[in-house]
Structures are given as C-alpha cells and as structure tokens.
Amino acid sequence: MNSIRPFIILIKLARESMQFAYQSVKANKLRTFLSLFGITIGIFAIISVFTMIDSLEKNVRDSLQALGKKVVYVQKWPWGGNEEYPWWKYLNRPEPTLSDLEEIRRKSLLTDAACFNVAYNKQLKYNGNNIPDATIYGISTDFDKIRTFDLSEGRFFNQFEINSGRPYAIIGSDIAKDLFQGANPLDKTIKIGGQKVTVIGVFAKEGKSAIGENSLDNMVIIPLNLARTMVDLRNSGPWIMVKAKDDTSVEDLIDELRGILRAHHRLKPLDEDDFALNQIDLLKDSLDSIFASINFAGGFIAFFSIIVGGFGIANIMFVSVKERTSQIGVQKALGAKRYFILIQFLYEAVLLAVAGGVIGLLLIFVGTLAVTYGLDFNVTLTLPNIIRGLLISAIIGIVSGFVPAWMASRLSPVEAINTKA
C-alpha cells in the first residue's frame, strides 16, 4: 500500500494543477486567445510544410510505382537534362524499333515482359463533343503486365485484339467525362483524328501525377497496330518497357539488354551505345536523399514560426505569474510545495500550447480537403504528423513555461502575499 501512495498523491497533484490551470485559462479569455493564436500559427506552419512534403513524396513514389517495378526503359535519349547533358551525342541515335522488341523477346532470359509504346496527340470527337489535343498511346502486348492500373468500367484488350490492331480503345476517366458528359462510354464509337474506334473500357481515376505525364486520366490507349495506321512510329518517340523476372535484379537485366541490343545493332566493341537503358529504380533511390534535404529545409524554415509561438506563451506566462503572485503566496502559506506551484504553471503552459496545436491541426485538415478536392492533388494529414504536431506543441509549452513556472515556485510566501498585482 505504501508503494502505491506516491502515485495516488501524484495523480491528485496533477488533477489539482490541471484545475488551477483551466480556471486561469478560462478567466483570461483574451490572453488565452492571443497565446493560442501564436502557437496555432506556428504548428500550422511547420505541420503544413511536413504534410505537403509527405504528400508530394507519396504522390511521386506512387507515380513511379505505377510505372512498374524492376522496369528498364529502352529509349533514344537517356534521362537527365542538366547543363552538361551532351544532347548532340544522342540526336542522331536511331529510335527503338519493333525489331529491337522481337530481339529482346527472343534472346533475353531475364525478361518477364516487354512492351513497345508510342505516344502522339490527336483530336477526339463524339457527337458534338471534342477534345482537340488528346494524348494517344499505342501499345503492344504485355502492357498490362508492366503498367499498374485499374478499370472502372469495361475490360482490357485481349492478345488477338492488340496483335490484329482492332479499332478498340480504352479511355481515361477525364476523357470519358469531357467527351461523354455523363453518358455511358462503353461500346460507343469515337473518332481519333477522323478514324472510328469503339470504346471497350475506362481507366479508374488516378489523379494528377507528380512526375508529369504518368496519369492515365487524360489518355486513350489503343493497339499498336492500330496506331501504325495513324502515325509513323519512328516519329512518335517510341520506347520499349522491359520488366525483369522476380528473381532477377535490374542491374543484371540491363547488362543482358546491353549485350543483346549492341549485337543486334552490330556495334563494334569500342563503339558507344546508340540506345539508352533508363531505370526507374535509380529515380526511387535518389528520392530518399532529395526528400531528406527538402524535409530539413522545410523544418528549418518552419522552426522560426514555432519560436514566435513559444515566445508568445512565455510572455503570457510571465504576466500570469505576476498577476497571481499573491495567490501563490496564499497557496505556499497553506503548505503548497514548490513542485506543486511549478507543475501548476507548467500545466497551464502545456494546456495553452496543445490547445493551439489542436486548432492548427484542424486548420491543416480543412486545408488538405480543400487542396485534394479543389486541385485534384491528394494531400493527407497523416497520423505521424498529427502526433508530431501534438508533441511539438507539448514541448513548446514545457520549454516556454518552465522559467516562469520555476520563478513562481521560488517566490517567498510572505513577500508574495504582500505583493499587489
């Protein structure tokens, strides 16, 4: 029983200190509002930064994930674009061809799936509605084995439809909305640059992509052999997607593809590659360092907002101690210990800080809803950021309120009682 007694005393002390703190906050509404306002702005600033950074990072990673795991892109141009990018070396390279695709499929032992792709823009028409510059994707077989997507309506192409170039299309959710104005698009005939095509499916909405032209919402997917009747494949920026087998590393696949393509292009041992093997996984690896730097910079900037809120609470607590000096004297005269006074004022500072933090988090939550539904960019206030905001608020309350609370606890009972506020 004796071992439990200190805990009971501590609980009673905490309850009484909280009651004193609550009464003080309730009795000084304007001062409380000013304290809350400062810390609310601080928490709103710092957690907004972290929320936007986390949401941007998630969007980028999800966009890369949708492009497929362990995928190599065979293209004319290597990914890059900095000031030292030697574009003149790549200008005269040949574009990837269907012959390259067949050679990869025939000789590669590490490939799980390979798909030829082209992209171009054409006008879409349905009855009186039209989209003047829609993105059209022509694909070969295996596209669905590499690219991650969902269908909200209809179905995907079968192998015969792709190989034969049947006049079928699968359209993005935004294309369906703009072209059909709420009508059911399945089995309807649309015109792509004047050529009639039947819609057999609609992609589920993906939302805006953080890496550009990744979202299928504004695209029309058609069989490659149908695309060949509309455009010259060589002038449509073709590329080949190659997915490694589950037990194969991307590095091993790249080495194998380099050997296959160099032999197919009849390059001599000292000749440079006339193709690029671009790798999604390299982009994923670089994201860690990029977003770590962004997080540090964002946190550093938002830190100054927190300092402002902390100084505001400290100032208010100094005023509170001065106003209640005689009350502190009475409490100490009746036997209140120093730690009781200390904890009493610390509770008040923490209560103010956490309350301001909660309001700041509520404002951020409303902001995330406005951005998500207004700008079609998914922003989420995550549980880790909520916990981070509350912890930061509590720490600010403790740090800002400690000195005023310590000064209050050290007051002499006689001098405190005789002091006029």
Side-chain angles (χ1 to χ4, degrees):
M1 186 69 179
N2 291 334
S3 60
I4 301 177
R5 184 176 179 81
F7 293 102
I8 297 176
I9 294 174
L10 185 63
I11 293 173
K12 288 182 178 180
L13 174 63
R15 185 181 62 190
E16 291 176 8
S17 298
M18 181 62 74
Q19 289 174 347
F20 274 113
Y22 175 73
Q23 292 300 327
S24 174
V25 169
K26 184 178 178 182
N28 298 276
K29 294 183 174 60
L30 178 59
R31 187 173 68 197
T32 299
F33 170 76
L34 295 175
S35 300
L36 291 180
F37 183 76
I39 200 66
T40 295
I41 296 300
I43 293 298
F44 179 82
I46 191 168
I47 301 301
S48 291
V49 170
F50 286 130
T51 297
M52 290 303 298
I53 291 173
D54 289 349
S55 298
L56 177 61
E57 181 177 2
K58 183 179 185 301
N59 191 283
V60 171
R61 292 188 184 277
D62 288 347
S63 298
L64 292 177
Q65 186 76 10
L67 296 178
K69 296 180 180 179
K70 302 173 68 173
V71 176
V72 176
Y73 288 73
V74 181
Q75 295 174 289
K76 173 179 177 177
W77 300 89
W79 291 346
N82 56 39
E83 57 189 16
E84 297 180 358
Y85 188 78
W87 57 268
W88 59 90
K89 292 174 57 177
Y90 313 129
L91 184 61
N92 294 322
R93 282 181 173 181
E95 297 282 2
T97 64
L98 287 170
S99 177
D100 292 332
L101 174 67
E102 295 305 320
E103 190 74 1
I104 291 171
R105 287 178 171 175
R106 187 167 63 88
K107 292 187 176 181
S108 176
L109 301 177
L110 306 179
T111 294
D112 181 55
C115 175
F116 196 89
N117 309 261
V118 294
Y120 53 95
N121 295 324
K122 288 285 185 179
Q123 184 183 52
L124 298 181
K125 284 186 177 182
Y126 174 73
N127 291 342
N129 302 323
N130 76 89
I131 300 175
D133 203 32
T135 300
I136 315 297
Y137 261 35
I139 61 167
S140 69
T141 53
D142 286 354
F143 178 84
D144 55 327
K145 296 179 182 178
I146 301 174
R147 176 63 157 84
T148 302
F149 61 85
D150 292 310
L151 294 175
S152 61
E153 298 180 72
R155 62 176 179 85
F156 195 69
F157 309 109
N158 59 43
Q159 186 169 345
F160 171 77
E161 291 166 347
I162 293 180
N163 289 335
S164 62
R166 294 293 296 273
Y168 291 161
I170 302 173
I171 63 177
S173 59
D174 289 348
I175 295 288
K177 179 181 177 181
D178 295 340
L179 206 58
F180 290 92
Q181 303 291 318
N184 184 3
L186 293 184
D187 299 324
K188 300 294 194 305
T189 299
I190 63 175
K191 287 185 178 181
I192 302 178
Q195 187 163 337
K196 293 182 179 180
V197 177
T198 301
V199 177
I200 64 169
V202 179
F203 290 110
K205 189 171 184 61
E206 295 183 337
K208 290 183 179 178
S209 170
I211 59 173
E213 302 177 354
N214 176 42
S215 175
L216 294 173
D217 294 346
N218 291 291
M219 297 181 187
V220 177
I221 308 296
I222 62 174
L224 182 65
N225 284 327
L226 175 61
R228 297 175 73 174
T229 66
M230 301 181 185
V231 294
D232 184 349
L233 299 186
R234 293 171 299 179
N235 298 326
S236 301
W239 70 97
I240 301 171
M241 297 189 298
V242 184
K243 182 179 180 181
K245 291 182 177 179
D246 291 338
D247 57 350
T248 300
S249 69
V250 177
E251 290 74 18
D252 289 341
L253 176 61
I254 288 176
D255 290 340
E256 184 193 50
L257 291 176
R258 177 169 286 111
I260 292 173
L261 292 173
R262 285 183 64 87
H264 185 57
H265 293 186
R266 298 181 180 180
L267 297 176
K268 296 178 182 180
L270 297 180
D271 290 343
E272 292 187 1
D273 293 343
D274 62 352
F275 53 86
L277 299 175
N278 296 314
Q279 183 183 352
I280 287 291
D281 285 21
L282 291 177
L283 296 179
K284 292 180 180 178
D285 293 339
S286 66
L287 287 178
D288 292 332
S289 59
I290 293 173
F291 280 105
S293 301
I294 295 175
N295 267 297
F296 176 79
F300 182 77
I301 294 171
F303 175 72
F304 290 100
S305 298
I306 289 297
I307 291 179
V308 173
F311 275 119
I313 287 183
N315 185 53
I316 293 299
M317 292 307 301
F318 277 117
V319 174
S320 180
V321 170
K322 184 174 180 61
E323 288 180 348
R324 292 155 57 188
T325 300
S326 59
Q327 178 185 336
I328 295 169
V330 171
Q331 289 177 340
K332 300 192 79 172
L334 293 175
K337 302 296 184 180
R338 287 180 177 178
Y339 62 82
F340 177 82
I341 304 298
L342 177 70
I343 293 176
Q344 176 183 325
F345 281 92
L346 276 181
Y347 264 126
E348 182 175 340
V350 171
L351 180 64
L352 287 170
V354 172
V358 170
I359 296 173
L361 291 172
L362 289 174
L363 292 176
I364 294 172
F365 178 72
V366 173
T368 60
L369 295 179
V371 173
T372 298
Y373 293 102
L375 301 179
D376 194 24
F377 184 85
N378 191 31
V379 179
T380 305
L381 178 59
T382 61
L383 180 60
N385 278 332
I386 293 175
I387 295 174
R388 180 186 292 177
L390 294 176
L391 285 176
I392 292 174
S393 300
I395 292 171
I396 292 172
I398 293 172
V399 173
S400 302
F402 181 79
V403 173
W406 183 82
M407 292 176 60
S409 70
R410 307 293 294 184
L411 289 173
S412 167
V414 176
E415 293 180 1
I417 290 175
N418 293 326
T419 299
K420 295 183 179 180

